[in-house]
Amino acid sequence: MSTDPHDILTACTTQELRQRRSVKWREFPPDVLPLRIAEMDTPLAEPITSALSTAINRGDTGYALAGRLPEAFAGFAARHYGWHPDASAARLIPDVMTGIVEALQIITEPGDRIVFNTPGYPPFFYWIQRIGRQVTPSPLADGPNGHRLDLDRLERDFASGARAYLLCNPHNPTGLVFTREELAQVAALAERYDVRIVSDEILAPLIYPGGRHIPFPSLDSPSAARSIALVSASKAFNIAGLKAALAVPGPDAHADVAQIHEEVSEGAGLFGVLAAEAAFTHGDLWLRRLIDDLDDNRRLLAAQLADRLPRIVYHPPQGGYVGWLDCRALGWGADPAQVFLDHGRVGLSSGPRFGPPGHGFVRLNFATAPARLVEAVNRMATARDRADAGADEQHG
């Protein structure tokens, strides 16, 4: 492994990565290049390594308290977003999805309708149903310039009796970063129809040049004041397995977040808290270098697809590190990820898992070395050639 701090996405060899025990590198056979799970092929940022090593050396492996994590996040939010959340009102949770579930159970009742945009993060579908609420998909508009928020559709969905809107910003899987103007319109609709907002902001630190993350609770709006944001260092600093996140309320949602039971907070990991404290306090330089590398990769993916697979439509994301690839012109039906796996031995996320608007799409994680990204596109092109050859034989 490279020790050059500038060498983030190329620091780990493929052989070293295949020794990892996480899902990304263990779910497929060794001949598959995995680009499905949202983990990055990076070493840890040095401040995180130092914090965890210190804890291990002193045997500090017990149960977690929030410690200085809320204050560390508040400082990060002030520097990066111009937002000054009340650290004393934040509640420690194991991960963002747990926080979403807890918030929705507090602010809605069984049977209530929960809106979220599709294509949508797959766990949103089954967790909302699992807690006895109704899923109300609100498709994004899909146009020649990529996806965008469809405010007219959102208003119809709010007006249909929705009680809450699960906002994902930046959006997974499209990589959309919603503007202040769009979010202000969402806030106005939420106020008009008495819809509570729960905002998944797990990808917020990963915004590319030209964009800016606007935390929903930071808006000057009654519905924003009543909103709850879920935040974490897990995606931006590649520490999802360490388990620590925060539920951060708007000014008028403190009592709601205070209802999150202490048993939920006890599910967080001490290493997650220590790592996130270090990331939010001392990780800015590492994060800037990572975003530079990811920016190069999102553009490299565009160039490679244009050259090798021009029938695939790809709009580089504004945030996050996944590409949402429209493969419908290949004519492979609803789930092209299976064709890429069978014929190219590259593992991608299946579009239909993100709802009906994902039919014909795949999600590709480009947080890897540029050489592996090029190899992935080459494998995808091989799959295209083999699938097309097989189709020709059948028609022959």
Side-chain angles (χ1 to χ4, degrees):
M1 180 184 296
S2 170
T3 58
D4 185 345
H6 296 274
D7 206 14
I8 295 178
L9 288 178
T10 58
C12 303
T13 68
T14 303
Q15 182 179 6
E16 289 168 339
L17 291 168
R18 291 201 180 279
Q19 295 173 11
R20 291 186 173 184
R21 298 282 296 277
S22 63
V23 172
K24 179 179 180 181
W25 287 94
R26 293 287 169 163
E27 69 170 333
F28 293 112
D31 65 324
V32 174
L33 182 61
L35 298 175
R36 188 182 80 83
I37 295 292
E39 300 173 16
M40 297 191 293
D41 296 337
T42 65
L44 289 176
E46 191 283 329
I48 296 175
T49 300
S50 177
L52 296 180
S53 297
T54 298
I56 290 171
N57 289 336
R58 65 183 173 222
D60 194 3
T61 55
Y63 296 109
L65 293 172
R68 296 184 298 275
L69 178 55
E71 290 77 14
F73 172 74
F76 183 90
R79 295 193 306 275
H80 290 262
Y81 316 138
W83 179 34
H84 299 273
D86 183 350
S88 68
R91 180 59 61 95
L92 178 66
I93 51 178
D95 52 56
V96 163
M97 194 66 237
T98 298
I100 290 169
V101 169
E102 292 297 320
L104 289 176
Q105 290 186 113
I106 289 167
I107 67 173
T108 67
E109 298 293 336
D112 282 351
R113 301 180 66 176
I114 313 297
V115 175
F116 64 89
N117 297 118
T118 54
Y121 181 51
F124 290 173
F125 292 93
Y126 57 75
W127 269 110
I128 289 173
Q129 295 174 359
R130 188 170 181 179
I131 62 173
R133 275 63 173 173
Q134 297 184 56
V135 170
T136 300
S138 188
L140 296 169
D142 181 9
N145 298 315
H147 289 81
R148 60 175 178 79
L149 189 61
D150 187 339
L151 288 162
D152 291 336
R153 173 60 188 261
L154 194 65
E155 180 169 14
R156 292 197 298 272
D157 291 329
F158 281 11
S160 69
R163 302 307 305 149
Y165 173 41
L166 176 49
L167 170 68
C168 188
N169 181 32
H171 184 260
N172 179 5
T174 66
L176 278 177
V177 174
F178 300 122
T179 66
R180 183 178 294 275
E181 292 73 22
E182 287 174 318
L183 294 175
Q185 289 176 283
V186 170
L189 290 175
E191 187 67 19
R192 183 180 309 160
Y193 295 102
D194 192 26
V195 172
R196 295 291 299 274
I197 308 293
V198 174
S199 185
D200 173 354
E201 304 191 0
I202 196 170
L203 293 170
L206 296 169
I207 306 294
Y208 295 107
R212 182 175 177 82
H213 175 67
I214 309 298
F216 194 85
S218 71
L219 298 175
D220 184 14
S221 155
S223 59
R226 297 171 65 219
S227 69
I228 300 170
L230 291 311
V231 304
S232 177
S234 61
K235 294 301 183 186
F237 292 92
N238 211 35
I239 53 174
L242 300 184
K243 292 297 180 184
L246 293 171
V248 183
D252 295 339
H254 287 199
D256 295 319
V257 167
Q259 291 184 55
I260 296 176
H261 199 278
E262 62 183 14
E263 290 181 355
V264 176
S265 297
E266 289 169 358
L270 179 57
F271 277 14
V273 171
L274 298 175
E277 281 182 6
F280 285 138
T281 305
H282 303 295
D284 285 4
L285 179 58
W286 187 89
L287 183 62
R288 285 198 298 271
R289 290 170 176 164
L290 171 69
I291 290 172
D292 285 344
D293 287 351
L294 291 174
D295 190 14
D296 290 341
N297 266 13
R298 68 176 181 144
R299 299 174 190 277
L300 174 63
L301 179 58
Q304 288 291 308
L305 290 172
D307 180 50
R308 302 285 279 126
L309 290 155
R311 286 185 285 171
I312 292 180
V313 178
Y314 160 64
H315 300 281
Q318 300 165 326
Y321 49 78
V322 297
W324 184 239
L325 312 186
D326 181 353
C327 305
R328 288 174 292 184
L330 297 176
W332 294 348
D335 192 11
Q338 190 63 50
V339 182
F340 286 126
L341 178 61
D342 291 343
H343 295 285
R345 309 308 288 162
V346 57
L348 306 172
S349 294
S350 171
R353 296 188 67 235
F354 297 80
H359 288 199
F361 286 75
V362 299
R363 193 188 74 170
L364 182 152
N365 174 359
F366 57 78
T368 191
R372 281 190 289 274
L373 188 56
V374 171
E375 179 186 351
V377 176
N378 286 336
R379 289 182 180 218
M380 293 166 69
T382 296
R384 183 268 322 274
D385 294 342
R386 290 174 176 170
D388 287 353
D392 289 342
E393 290 177 6
Q394 288 180 353
H395 286 108

